[in-house]
């Protein structure tokens, strides 16, 4: 075994993540959204309750000022709204606009097509096992 072979799993995972996201970004480019913007929209669509900006930043994995700039752009496109929280004057909840819903359906349709292509020939059992391994690695990272 090559002396750096133990690094290949992490490098392969990083490469897979970048390539998958780049391909999805390429396929979504016609919708007029950057990768960061469509990612925010997808996270908002998946959350059961409208999050505060702080909660959304944590969910998406970006810093607060970065999210604020993304939300400024999404507001300009009339895809999200920021609503004041009565209990906390500083906090704002982020909600999707009605205009965003059909766009999110398009994003999800394109993403689903890509997933189908990428998982072609991979059994459901292999997919489940892979997700289980990833979940264990993430749990170990969270304990670190």
């Amino acid at each position: 075994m090559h002396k750096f072979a133990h690094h290949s799993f992490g490098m392969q995972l990083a490469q897979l993540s970048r390539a998958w996201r780049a391909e999805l970004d390429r396929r979504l480019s016609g919708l007029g959204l950057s990768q960061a913007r469509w990612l925010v929209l997808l996270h908002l669509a998946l959350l059961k309750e409208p999050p505060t900006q702080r909660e959304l930043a944590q969910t998406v994995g970006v810093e607060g000022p970065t999210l604020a700039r993304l939300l400024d752009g999404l507001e300009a496109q009339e895809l999200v709204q920021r609503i004041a929280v009565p209990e906390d004057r500083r906090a704002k909840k982020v909600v999707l606009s009605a205009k965003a819903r059909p766009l999110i359906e398009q994003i999800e349709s394109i993403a689903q097509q890509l997933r189908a292509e990428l998982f072609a020939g991979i059994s459901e059992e292999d997919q489940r096992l892979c997700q289980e391994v990833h979940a264990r690695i993430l749990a170990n990272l969270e304990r670190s």
Side-chain angles (χ1 to χ4, degrees):
M1 181 182 265
H2 189 273
K3 76 177 193 174
F4 295 116
H6 60 279
H7 292 290
S8 66
F9 181 85
M11 291 187 310
Q12 188 179 46
L13 193 58
Q15 182 182 8
L16 173 63
S17 177
R18 281 191 307 272
W20 188 328
R21 242 178 160 172
E23 179 59 20
L24 186 55
D25 199 36
R26 187 187 69 73
R27 292 181 187 208
L28 293 173
S29 64
L31 299 179
L33 294 169
S34 68
Q35 180 183 82
R37 285 186 184 178
W38 61 253
L39 194 58
V40 169
L41 292 176
L42 281 180
H43 278 270
L44 283 169
L46 292 171
L47 294 168
K48 295 191 188 315
E49 296 292 323
T52 64
Q53 279 189 218
R54 177 176 288 171
E55 292 165 342
L56 184 58
Q58 289 173 337
T59 302
V60 175
V62 297
E63 297 294 322
T66 301
L67 180 67
R69 286 189 298 277
L70 290 169
L71 292 177
D72 288 343
L74 289 168
E75 273 188 321
Q77 289 178 279
E78 300 178 347
L79 298 174
V80 301
Q81 295 174 319
R82 288 182 261 201
I83 300 171
V85 176
E87 314 82 64
D88 184 351
R89 312 187 307 210
R90 298 171 296 165
K92 301 267 193 236
K93 294 249 182 198
V94 183
V95 296
L96 291 169
S97 70
K99 183 178 175 180
R101 298 287 175 193
L103 189 59
I104 290 168
E105 288 177 22
Q106 283 183 281
I107 293 168
E108 185 51 41
S109 176
I110 292 167
Q112 180 57 40
Q113 176 62 38
L114 178 57
R115 278 192 296 273
E117 291 172 24
L118 296 179
F119 286 110
I122 301 171
S123 72
E124 286 186 28
E125 176 59 21
D126 284 348
Q127 291 177 47
R128 186 199 59 72
L129 181 59
C130 188
Q131 286 180 314
E132 187 179 307
V133 169
H134 290 164
R136 287 185 202 162
I137 293 169
L138 286 170
N140 289 342
L141 280 169
E142 289 173 4
R143 281 195 291 272
S144 295

